[in-house]
Structures are given as C-alpha cells and as structure tokens.
Amino acid sequence: EVQLVESGGGLVQPGRSLRLSCAVSGLTFDDYAMHWVRQAPGKGLEWVSGISWNRGSIGYADSVKGRFIISRDNARNSLYLQMNSLRAEDTALYYCAKDRATGIRGGLDYWGQGTLVTVSS
Amino acid sequence: DIQMTQSPSSLSASVGDRVTITCRASQSISNYLNWYQQKPGKAPNLLIYAASSLQSGVPSRFSGSGSGTDFTLTISSLHPEDFATYYCQQSYRFLTFGGGTKVEIK
C-alpha cells in the first residue's frame, strides 16, 4: 500500500521558518517526481513546488520563489520543504503528492493527508 | 506562467444528470491536462490524466477530452458520491490548478 505521511506543520510567527517532511512508503520512491500542494482554508488548490526523480528539474510557484526550498532524500524515501520568511498568506494545509512520471509532467496520483501550517503572531 | 480558467465555478445538478465542466489554458498545453475530484476534508483524487486517460479505479462515467487550450470533464450520469469539487491542472510547464468547480445537489 502506498502511503505518504506529512509532518512538521504547526503555528509559526511571521518571518520565521518551518521545515515540512513527507515520508513515502509502498513504492520505489526514486522512480517518481514529487510535489508540494497547498490549500488555504476554504480555498482552492495551489501548487507550491515540485522536484524530479533525480533533482534535475525543480520548480516553484511565484508566490514562494526565493523563500521555499524543496529537496528529497531518495535513500530515506523522503521529501522536504524548507519554508523561510513565512507570511500570513502561507497559512494552509500542505499536501505531499506523487507524480505519475519521473519528471514534473504527470498527474498527481497519490496524496498524503496534509499538514497544517498556520502563520500568525 | 500558464493560467487555468475553469467554468462554471459552481453548478447544481440532480442524480442522473449529465455534467460538463470546462477548463481553458492561457496558452497551448498539448494534452498535459489532469482532472481531480476533492471531497470536504479529504485529499484530491486523480480522475483523468493526459486530458483523456482514465486513472485506474475511476468509474467509466467520468471522461475527459480536449487538447491545446480547451478541455472538458464530463460525468455521464451523476451519482450521489459525485457531489464534490473538481479541479483541472496543467502539467505542461510545472503545474497550475484551475480555480475549481463545486458540484452541488439541486
């Protein structure tokens, strides 16, 4: 059974940092690209960042470019999101999701249940 | 950046109705278009990938069509469990989601 389990969310003050993790099991992790997608309360889905299987292709939404860093450890079957200079508008449920493809090109066929990040003073 | 525009933003329909949702890209994206269903409190579920390919386990009443800039998701006969929010998403250049279409019970 494929499982994606996010962790690391919580309440953080504006301007501070937070690191999210996603532990993946039940598949060959390094065969697929991976993504972070967020959803603000009551709002739609927003792609945050994605990374190809070999880290050769990495992309960010304009809203987080220069502040967030995506990474992966294929030996640990884990995906990460380092979030710096957090703003109130970063408040959201953050999902980890698996791409159907090795590159950032397919649909997202497996998702975690999300970890909530709240940015507030 | 590629923008994705979905319409309508919401619709009311009855069980058994045929429902069509459209998605337009701000530039040609070939067939790099995916559709998702999301129910309240749950993660999204991939329905259609590459514009018209049915994801494994998804009922055949769901279908997708289109290429270039204009795409359609069709539910041939609405079931009670299909009341949800639907999102399109392009994967031609990184990823962008549409704004969503909420399908409600009439």
Side-chain angles (χ1 to χ4, degrees):
Chain A
E1 180 192 7
V2 176
Q3 286 195 317
L4 288 72
V5 180
E6 303 94 337
S7 60
L11 175 63
V12 61
Q13 293 179 328
R16 303 298 290 267
S17 298
L18 208 57
R19 189 192 196 210
L20 305 184
S21 299
C22 175
V24 180
S25 60
L27 53 82
T28 306
F29 182 70
D30 55 9
D31 276 351
Y32 302 100
M34 296 293 298
H35 301 264
W36 290 98
V37 176
R38 69 185 181 184
Q39 188 167 35
K43 301 297 184 182
L45 300 171
E46 180 187 16
W47 177 75
V48 173
S49 182
I51 184 169
S52 63
W53 69 283
N54 64 352
R55 309 178 195 83
S57 178
I58 290 175
Y60 298 95
D62 286 346
S63 58
V64 307
K65 201 172 294 182
R67 299 188 298 123
F68 289 11
I69 300 172
I70 192 171
S71 62
R72 64 188 294 162
D73 184 339
N74 287 346
R76 295 179 181 271
N77 288 357
S78 292
L79 177 72
Y80 306 100
L81 186 69
Q82 177 67 40
M83 303 187 296
N84 301 321
S85 303
L86 282 161
R87 306 167 179 167
E89 54 265 36
D90 296 319
T91 294
L93 185 64
Y94 284 73
Y95 292 105
C96 165
K98 168 195 164 292
D99 202 300
R100 294 184 65 257
T102 55
I104 305 175
R105 273 303 176 101
L108 307 183
D109 58 355
Y110 287 95
W111 297 64
Q113 285 308 298
T115 187
L116 183 63
V117 173
T118 303
V119 184
S120 174
S121 55
Chain B
D1 288 4
I2 299 174
Q3 309 301 319
M4 305 301 295
T5 303
Q6 271 183 252
S7 61
S9 57
S10 65
L11 65 90
S12 295
S14 301
V15 171
D17 284 353
R18 181 182 181 89
V19 169
T20 299
I21 298 168
T22 63
C23 182
R24 175 164 288 175
S26 60
Q27 66 181 75
S28 178
I29 58 171
S30 184
N31 70 334
Y32 289 92
L33 192 284
N34 309 298
W35 289 98
Y36 300 83
Q37 177 193 68
Q38 187 181 32
K39 296 181 179 179
K42 299 294 187 182
N45 182 46
L46 179 64
L47 299 175
I48 302 286
Y49 63 93
S52 60
S53 296
L54 193 67
Q55 174 69 2
S56 176
V58 174
S60 59
R61 63 181 179 273
F62 292 93
S63 64
S65 64
S67 66
T69 60
D70 294 312
F71 302 87
T72 299
L73 173 70
T74 299
I75 309 172
S76 60
S77 177
L78 206 59
H79 284 209
E81 60 267 32
D82 300 337
F83 292 97
T85 301
Y86 294 84
Y87 295 92
C88 64
Q89 171 240 311
Q90 68 83 19
S91 54
Y92 181 79
R93 173 154 176 78
F94 297 127
L95 274 61
T96 314
F97 286 92
T101 296
K102 187 173 184 178
V103 177
E104 299 175 299
I105 301 173
K106 184 182 286 185

